[in-house]
Amino acid sequence: MSEEWQPEAILKMKTNQLKREFFEYTDKNIEKIEANVPVFFGHVVTTLDNSLPQIQDETYDQFIDAITMKVLETSKKTDDIVFTEKLFDYAMRNKRGKKGKAFYDIILGLRMVHKGRYSEAIEQLKKYRSLDATICPAIAYCYYTLSTQQMPSGQDDPSSRPNDLMLASREQMIELTRLNPPVNRLRDQEMTEDPRTTTIFWFMINQAIEWFPSDREFFRIGIDKATRDGNLKVKEDLLNIAVERFFNDMYFLREMYHLRLEQRNAGGLAGIVKQMTQQFPDDLEPIYYGLKLSIITARNETYFKFRKMALSKNMPPNVFLLLDFAFELMSGKQHEALACLDEIKQKFGPRHYYVVLLEYVMQDFLSDDEKKVKKAKKILIDSLDHFCMNLLKIKSF
């Protein structure tokens, strides 16, 4: 009898539920699992095959990966290299495909770093440097630590007279910028990043910034990492240095603009827009950010100033239509906003999908419910931002 078909969304829900059940089982029975890893994996595979026979091979293998990492994170033997090797070996044996070995090798190599087995870790990790942004810093840290162990007693500054190992450490950080590996790819594979690995990453990024102060890439990689980790303090610290050191680099200015916007720091936003317009007087992007800030703050004088600048730079008419509508609406001028909306309908067509959205949003602006009005403002600004940035061909975040 053929299995009953189920939508992928239902299978995903059931897979996640089964995963949570195994996580709870692991928390309660970790010592039993440690004592007999093969039996545990047999139990996992049997349950998975019986409960979810329809899931795809990729989902099946991701489930095995998730359970494996849960065991490793829960076990008191997490730094036991022999146990880790055995755990990963059984995991690979029970997967349907052969993908994923590289990530197990990386986790094993990182645990070698944490155990101080630096030479072994270098050999284990070096062929995976392009897979994740934590690898090169981990290898660099191994060379760095081996270098300091060889230095004469009492020499506090290892960077003043670099030996071959210290030079190798620096070379690994240069490789990081050359290879430009993805940030947090291990996390994307449901492999939680060890806090010790994160600490090593930031230690070596700070070392690289000190070693190579004119190289912007270490700042860029660090900002990317901090953004993905939700570490706003580190992100802001890096950006404060970067926008001063690389004052005409639009990437850092753009990142700072969005950080200040997230922080609702109107003064900081105004300052960064000013710096943008000074460094890129012929570009529309800084002017657009100024217009957006003026709409959010509903400041007439500032809006008209940036609008005049936008006119002189030939900003597309459709962008003006949308921005004028948003400014009037955010300023509480409903009749003026309606007039702008009528003009948008004529230019875009009354059934244009974005016109329909604007009409719905405007209705919520008229509500007596403050929460509904607040939500409508956010929807208006967010949707307008994406739409206008697409029209202006500005990189979206």
Side-chain angles (χ1 to χ4, degrees), residues 350-365:
R351 295 186 179 181
H352 190 280
Y353 74 93
Y354 199 54
V355 171
V356 175
L357 172 64
L358 294 178
E359 287 179 319
Y360 275 109
V361 170
M362 189 168 183
Q363 289 177 12
D364 285 349
F365 265 81

Side-chain angles (χ1 to χ4, degrees), residues 334 360-379:
Q334 296 170 6
Y360 275 109
V361 170
M362 189 168 183
Q363 289 177 12
D364 285 349
F365 265 81
L366 305 177
S367 172
D368 294 329
D369 186 339
E370 289 186 10
K371 289 184 178 179
K372 183 176 285 189
V373 174
K374 185 177 180 181
K375 186 177 180 180
K377 288 182 177 180
K378 186 177 188 311
I379 291 172

Side-chain angles (χ1 to χ4, degrees), residues 69-251:
M69 294 311 298
K70 175 62 178 178
V71 171
L72 188 63
E73 292 158 12
T74 308
S75 174
K76 294 179 181 178
K77 298 182 178 182
T78 186
D79 286 330
D80 184 332
I81 302 300
V82 174
F83 173 77
T84 303
E85 288 178 320
K86 182 171 70 173
L87 179 68
F88 289 167
D89 179 57
Y90 280 112
M92 286 303 302
R93 290 186 192 184
N94 286 282
K95 292 170 75 169
R96 290 177 177 173
K98 296 302 179 184
K99 293 183 179 180
K101 185 177 186 303
F103 293 101
Y104 288 160
D105 285 347
I106 290 171
I107 299 298
L108 184 61
L110 291 173
R111 273 159 174 70
M112 290 176 177
V113 177
H114 304 149
K115 290 294 289 182
R117 294 165 60 169
Y118 301 121
S119 297
E120 294 174 75
I122 291 169
E123 291 302 311
Q124 177 79 6
L125 294 172
K126 64 182 182 181
K127 63 181 177 181
Y128 298 118
R129 292 177 299 178
S130 62
L131 290 185
D132 188 272
T134 58
I135 308 305
C136 281
I139 297 173
Y141 178 78
C142 292
Y143 282 121
Y144 181 95
T145 306
L146 289 170
S147 171
T148 58
Q149 291 174 354
Q150 287 189 1
M151 300 189 71
S153 176
Q155 186 172 330
D156 296 328
D157 184 6
S159 64
S160 61
R161 297 172 61 186
N163 55 30
D164 289 344
L165 288 169
M166 188 62 70
L167 290 174
S169 178
R170 298 185 183 193
E171 287 171 3
Q172 288 303 313
M173 296 308 291
I174 293 172
E175 277 293 283
L176 174 65
T177 64
R178 186 186 69 81
L179 294 170
N180 192 25
V183 171
N184 285 4
R185 190 175 179 189
L186 288 177
R187 289 188 179 184
D188 294 342
Q189 296 291 322
E190 298 195 51
M191 296 187 179
T192 304
E193 187 173 294
D194 192 310
R196 295 170 296 182
T197 302
T198 305
T199 300
I200 287 171
F201 173 86
W202 287 116
F203 175 79
M204 293 312 305
I205 285 290
N206 288 326
Q207 285 293 326
I209 289 173
E210 182 180 332
W211 290 334
F212 313 105
S214 62
D215 194 327
R216 68 181 293 279
E217 286 301 291
F218 296 111
F219 286 93
R220 183 193 60 77
I221 293 169
I223 289 165
D224 189 8
K225 173 73 170 167
T227 300
R228 294 172 186 271
D229 290 353
N231 194 337
L232 295 183
K233 175 64 169 61
V234 172
K235 180 178 180 178
E236 185 170 15
D237 289 344
L238 288 171
L239 279 171
N240 282 331
I241 300 171
V243 295
E244 182 177 347
R245 189 173 298 182
F246 309 99
F247 55 88
N248 61 350
D249 191 310
M250 193 60 181
Y251 169 81

